């Protein structure tokens, strides 16, 4: 690879042909191989694991962890596989597929191990930053992690997408949308990038762009988890509760599905059916869907119960809470004095971290 880079640099008009070419070529190859392995079998296991992580289902994530651990058995110094393992654990914890606290600790440990092996691994900084957003709620540390990740790997779709989530959490909506657009350009065949763009646009009130991004995402992966919940929320924002309910009914993630059905029925004037759906949501998802329960009570106009469940989500360290001030489903709470108090409890009253 280094030889190819040197030959190309020498052949291109205007490129110097002195020793600096070889130095730059070596640096190019070094950047491209940071944290990688020289073992083809370990690399294959890593690729299988990453593919399954992106499918965002409980069973696929368990299988992915198995593949990533196989890669690390073959090459324990495979830093990129450690970062991938951190991401898999974060998904398990964040979606309620495993016990939240211990599983996020596994994610943090794996990310730190990746950085111990390769301090300049952008994926390692990004995965550590994701735990700092989702579980630690340490906004300054997360901002530092993502600044470093973007510096080292600003061409990586997953890093840029995750940085957009941090910007959205901090109330920087224009920056969040810009980063999400950039991620979709970097990887136009990633349904995750387009789905993330749809969510950032939805949070910013850019409903037409959110719809276009969702259309792109569904073309790439029609049955993807989370996308139907975003579509359902978009339809609620557009005032179409019937289409919202149809979208939510196709959502694979139970708390999002049940909450969405309850809100759509309430919005359609089916108050009794909405209450029944809400009771089903509470019965099934009190331990891993407190935030969705709070959103549903907020949409029903019951602020007292909404804040009660927000407090429960806080105690459970619900990984969705960092994005609460951007999420339109909680808009009915914004004028309540308890809203600012809850934001302060989350640490959002502190000055924004340095840009």
């Amino acid at each position: 690879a280094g030889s190819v880079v040197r030959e190309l640099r020498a052949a291109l008009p205007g490129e110097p042909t002195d020793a600096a070419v070889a130095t730059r070529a070596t640096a190019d190859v070094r950047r491209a191989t940071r944290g990688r392995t020289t073992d083809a079998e370990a690399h294959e296991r890593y690729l299988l694991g990453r593919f399954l992580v992106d499918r965002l289902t409980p069973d696929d994530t368990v299988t992915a962890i198995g593949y990533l651990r196989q890669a690390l058995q073959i090459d324990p110094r495979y830093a990129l596989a450690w970062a991938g393992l951190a991401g898999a654990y974060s998904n398990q914890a964040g979606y309620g597929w495993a016990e939240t606290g211990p599983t996020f600790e596994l994610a943090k440990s794996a990310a730190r191990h990746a950085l111990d092996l390769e301090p300049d691994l952008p994926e390692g900084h990004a995965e550590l930053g994701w735990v700092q957003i989702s579980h630690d709620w340490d906004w300054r540390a997360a901002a530092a992690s993502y600044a470093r990740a973007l510096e080292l790997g600003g061409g990586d779709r997953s890093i840029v997408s995750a940085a957009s989530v941090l910007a959205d959490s901090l109330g920087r909506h224009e920056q969040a949308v810009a980063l999400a657009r950039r991620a979709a350009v970097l990887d136009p065949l990633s349904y995750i990038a387009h789905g993330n763009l749809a969510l950032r646009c939805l949070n910013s009130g850019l409903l037409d762009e959110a719809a276009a991004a969702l259309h792109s995402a569904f073309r790439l992966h029609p049955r993807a988890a989370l996308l139907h919940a975003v579509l359902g929320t978009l339809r609620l924002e557009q005032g179409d509760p019937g289409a919202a309910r149809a979208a939510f009914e196709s959502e694979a993630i139970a708390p999002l599905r049940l909450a969405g059905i309850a809100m759509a029925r309430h919005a359609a004037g089916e108050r009794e059916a909405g209450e029944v759906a809400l009771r089903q949501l509470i019965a099934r998802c009190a331990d891993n869907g407190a935030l969705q329960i709070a959103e549903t009570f907020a949409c029903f106009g019951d602020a007292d119960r909404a804040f009660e469940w927000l407090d429960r989500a806080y105690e459970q360290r619900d990984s969705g809470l960092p994005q609460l001030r951007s999420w339109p489903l909680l808009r009915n709470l914004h004028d309540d004095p308890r809203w600012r108090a809850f934001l302060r409890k989350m640490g959002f009253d502190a000055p924004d971290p340095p840009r």
Side-chain angles (χ1 to χ4, degrees), residues 166-195:
L166 174 62
D168 214 3
S169 299
L170 296 174
R172 301 173 184 168
H173 302 304
E174 290 185 7
Q175 181 187 19
V177 171
L179 286 166
R181 287 170 178 158
R182 177 176 155 196
V185 170
L186 286 170
D187 191 352
L189 296 181
S190 168
Y191 84 91
I192 293 176
H194 291 290

Side-chain angles (χ1 to χ4, degrees), residues 36-48 71 74 78 80:
R36 272 59 174 176
T37 184
T38 58
D39 189 289
E41 187 177 355
H43 182 58
E44 182 181 4
R45 296 292 188 276
Y46 167 76
L47 292 177
L48 286 167
I74 297 168
Y78 192 177
L80 195 59

Side-chain angles (χ1 to χ4, degrees), residues 125-126 128-134 137-148 166 170 353:
H125 288 285
L128 179 59
W130 189 254
V131 178
Q132 291 162 337
I133 295 171
S134 302
W137 302 339
D138 187 337
W139 316 119
R140 290 185 178 277
S145 291
Y146 273 104
R148 185 61 173 151
L166 174 62
L170 296 174

Side-chain angles (χ1 to χ4, degrees), residues 7-18:
E7 291 295 330
L8 285 171
R9 284 194 181 278
L12 290 171
E15 287 287 334
T17 57
D18 55 18

Side-chain angles (χ1 to χ4, degrees), residues 52-53 55-62 97 225:
L52 290 170
V53 166
R55 288 174 68 89
L56 285 180
T57 73
D59 291 342
D60 284 330
T61 303
V62 170
W97 301 332

Side-chain angles (χ1 to χ4, degrees), residues 204-225:
S204 297
L206 304 173
L207 302 189
D208 290 343
E209 186 174 354
L214 276 173
H215 179 71
S216 297
F218 277 117
R219 286 182 61 193
L220 293 163
H221 194 343
R223 294 177 297 280

